[in-house]
């Protein structure tokens, strides 16, 4: 009871209430004390023992403290330099259905710190997310997908470095476990996130590598043929990168020529629900590129859409 009351008071200091705004000086003092006394560790480790309401309050307190600045410094970021084991606990929360949504929300707030995102990306934990995203419990799978997206989009330079160093294993897993998953929601989220990553300027080197692979092209062509309109549209945004590549490898050109008629028919029928001039312009450009392709002399590809 006492603990619940204390947690409500902490939340009230940080967020204010219906009558008062939070006081910056009080927030700064609370932030300093919280990290100095290692209350953060105690709170995370003890969370499973709290009742549901106290867990919710604790989650909001931890989330808020990640953003609190004291003398223009994010104290939480400095704190994690020597307390990264707490991130391990938060990630392992995906193994415990009663804790996932609380630990997951805390984890995403902690990933706001570049030092934490870099740690998770470079740790063995990252591979676990390919499985967490496909857990049968929808809420837990959705939470894991939200964290995965945050890891791969928030800190541009960290992500670009990670993808360049880990290209082979990461995209092998991404393609086989997510883009070719039997689960519709997984495929839809994965192709959308893939587009977000490849269309980001900071990942241009990775994008060039991705669109030079015939296996990747085959996967995207199959996604273009899905019955789901939303998957087709997201797949198009990645497929257009293959078509627009001015330095296509000859086997990519060969596959596009072999499937030219099917692709032009498919793209001709592809419509978005509400009028979108940019989409129509992109589609017209892609169709023009494919229609104009000439076979290269050195290679002819026999691959076609399954």
């Amino acid at each position: 009871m006492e603990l619940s009351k204390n947690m409500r008071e902490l939340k009230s200091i940080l967020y204010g209430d219906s009558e008062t705004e939070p006081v910056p000086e009080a927030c700064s003092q609370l932030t300093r004390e919280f990290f100095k006394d290692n209350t953060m560790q105690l709170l995370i480790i003890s969370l499973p023992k709290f009742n549901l309401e106290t867990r919710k309050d604790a989650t909001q307190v931890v989330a808020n403290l990640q953003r609190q600045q004291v003398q223009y410094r994010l104290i939480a970021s400095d704190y994690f330099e020597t307390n990264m084991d707490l991130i391990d606990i938060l990630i392992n929360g995906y193994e415990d259905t009663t804790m996932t949504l609380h630990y997951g929300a805390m984890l995403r707030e902690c990933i706001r710190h570049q030092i934490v995102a870099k740690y998770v990306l470079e740790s063995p934990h990252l591979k676990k997310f390919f499985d967490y995203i496909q857990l049968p419990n929808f809420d837990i799978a959705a939470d894991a997908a939200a964290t995965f997206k945050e890891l791969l989009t928030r800190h541009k330079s960290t992500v670009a470095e990670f993808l360049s160093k880990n290209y082979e294993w990461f995209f092998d897993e991404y393609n086989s476990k997510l883009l070719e998953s039997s689960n519709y929601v997984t495929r839809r989220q994965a192709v959308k996130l893939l587009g977000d990553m490849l269309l980001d300027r900071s990942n241009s080197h990775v994008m060039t590598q991705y669109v030079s692979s015939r296996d990747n092209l085959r996967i995207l062509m199959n996604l273009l043929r899905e019955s789901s309109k939303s998957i087709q549209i997201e797949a198009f945004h990645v497929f257009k990168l293959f078509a627009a590549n001015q330095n296509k490898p000859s086997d990519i050109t060969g596959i596009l020529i072999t499937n030219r008629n099917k692709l032009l028919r498919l793209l001709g029928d592809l419509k978005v629900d509400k009028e979108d001039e940019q989409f129509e312009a992109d589609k017209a450009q892609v169709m023009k590129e494919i229609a104009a392709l000439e076979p290269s002399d050195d290679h002819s590809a026999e691959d076609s859409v399954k």
Side-chain angles (χ1 to χ4, degrees):
M1 199 68 187
E2 187 64 26
L3 182 67
S4 301
K5 184 165 166 282
N6 289 344
M7 205 55 68
R8 274 198 304 275
E9 284 172 2
L10 292 181
K11 184 178 157 187
S12 170
I13 292 169
L14 293 168
Y15 287 91
D17 54 36
S18 55
E19 292 162 19
T20 56
E21 290 285 310
V23 179
E25 292 79 15
C27 292
S28 293
Q29 188 181 348
L30 171 56
T31 306
R32 269 197 299 268
E33 297 297 325
F34 194 87
F35 290 109
K36 189 180 78 179
D37 296 342
N38 221 354
T39 312
M40 176 87 165
Q41 183 176 38
L42 189 63
L43 200 148
I44 287 174
I45 291 170
S46 306
L47 201 68
K49 299 173 187 160
F50 300 169
N51 65 34
L52 184 59
E53 280 310 308
T54 308
R55 282 180 194 171
K56 286 180 182 173
D57 287 343
T59 301
Q60 288 185 288
V61 165
V62 168
N64 186 296
L65 286 166
Q66 303 315 306
R67 305 166 188 232
Q68 289 288 344
Q69 293 193 9
V70 178
Q71 293 173 335
Y72 307 106
R73 285 185 69 81
L74 282 167
I75 296 218
S77 183
D78 298 340
Y79 172 82
F80 279 118
E81 287 184 21
T82 52
N83 290 279
M84 215 57 92
D85 55 314
L86 295 183
I87 301 301
D88 300 337
I89 294 172
L90 296 181
I91 294 172
N92 288 332
Y94 285 107
E95 316 271 349
D96 177 356
T97 53
T98 60
M99 297 309 302
T100 298
L101 301 184
H102 306 294
Y103 278 163
M106 287 183 183
L107 180 59
R108 280 188 296 285
E109 289 297 331
C110 294
I111 288 167
R112 296 170 70 84
H113 309 304
Q114 193 157 6
I115 187 172
V116 174
K118 187 175 169 64
Y119 169 77
V120 180
L121 286 170
E122 292 176 353
S123 76
H125 290 304
L126 189 72
K127 285 190 178 178
K128 297 178 188 174
F129 278 92
F130 291 101
D131 298 319
Y132 293 154
I133 286 167
Q134 301 192 76
L135 287 168
N137 181 312
F138 178 81
D139 289 336
I140 294 176
D143 194 280
T147 302
F148 192 63
K149 180 182 179 183
E150 188 76 357
L151 280 167
L152 291 165
T153 53
R154 177 170 279 276
H155 300 285
K156 309 292 189 194
S157 60
T158 302
V159 172
E161 184 185 351
F162 164 77
L163 290 175
S164 294
K165 282 185 186 167
N166 297 276
Y167 180 89
E168 295 296 338
W169 78 258
F170 179 83
F171 283 108
D172 280 351
E173 292 273 298
Y174 200 97
N175 288 351
S176 62
K177 287 194 172 173
L178 304 184
L179 292 179
E180 296 185 303
S181 165
S182 58
N183 184 301
Y184 159 75
V185 174
T186 302
R187 291 197 306 282
R188 192 188 71 201
Q189 288 175 333
V191 71
K192 168 86 171 71
L193 178 56
L194 179 66
D196 291 344
M197 288 191 289
L198 297 184
L199 286 160
D200 194 301
R201 282 202 194 110
S202 54
N203 295 327
S204 57
H205 176 70
V206 170
M207 184 269 283
T208 304
Q209 197 170 350
Y210 193 89
V211 301
S212 299
S213 156
R214 58 188 290 166
D215 287 339
N216 296 343
L217 176 58
R218 177 184 58 76
I219 290 168
L220 265 300
M221 281 168 37
N222 284 328
L223 288 167
L224 265 179
R225 292 176 68 242
E226 289 248 3
S227 57
S228 156
K229 172 73 72 70
S230 55
I231 288 183
Q232 282 188 308
I233 300 294
E234 295 301 345
F236 169 76
H237 289 305
V238 179
F239 175 77
K240 71 186 180 188
L241 300 172
F242 287 88
N245 181 8
Q246 295 307 301
N247 298 304
K248 294 180 190 68
S250 54
D251 55 352
I252 297 283
T253 303
I255 293 168
L256 293 174
I257 289 173
T258 300
N259 293 278
R260 179 169 12 219
N261 293 339
K262 282 185 203 168
L263 285 166
L264 291 175
R265 200 163 52 243
L266 194 64
L267 292 170
D269 292 339
L270 188 59
K271 302 275 192 295
V272 285
D273 292 333
K274 55 178 186 284
E275 204 172 311
D276 184 334
E277 287 181 13
Q278 185 62 56
F279 176 79
E280 292 301 330
D282 286 352
K283 193 175 85 166
Q285 183 60 36
V286 168
M287 291 175 75
K288 185 178 160 192
E289 292 270 358
I290 292 172
L293 285 173
E294 298 286 342
S296 48
D297 299 333
D298 61 328
H299 194 94
S300 162
E302 297 301 319
D303 244 354
S304 84
V305 180
K306 285 180 183 168

